[in-house]
Amino acid sequence: LEDGVVPLAPIDLNSAGEDRLAAIPGIGPALARRIVAHRRANGPFASVDGLRGVSGIGPATLERVRDFLAVGSEERPVAMVR
């Protein structure tokens, strides 16, 4: 994603790369790296709530990013806005 572009519909937590995750408000590059590393080490997330297992994601962060993410069949087409 380009700088300043955020998804209008949830993206798949299990297929999104670091760049796509980092574009989500409240995540950023460092947290995106930890999410991808956690996914590689532990397998796919069963739900967005699984992010609680990632270092640096507590209840407040999870609630802030929840609407931007989905897992598997929850995913809808993504629209982008600048």
Side-chain angles (χ1 to χ4, degrees):
L1 298 177
E2 296 176 37
D3 286 340
V5 178
V6 295
L8 288 179
I11 61 170
D12 185 2
L13 181 57
N14 288 321
S15 64
E18 288 181 27
D19 289 345
R20 205 159 182 202
L21 291 169
I24 295 171
I27 292 185
L31 196 49
R33 277 190 297 278
R34 289 199 300 271
I35 291 168
V36 171
H38 184 278
R39 187 175 66 206
R40 284 184 186 139
N42 300 289
F45 291 94
S47 71
V48 174
D49 290 326
L51 283 173
R52 287 297 310 276
V54 176
S55 175
I57 298 184
T61 300
L62 179 61
E63 289 310 310
R64 189 167 51 247
V65 302
R66 179 183 300 281
D67 290 340
F68 293 101
L69 298 165
V71 171
S73 64
E74 298 173 347
E75 185 178 20
R76 295 181 295 277
V78 177
M80 302 293 174
V81 66
R82 291 184 190 274

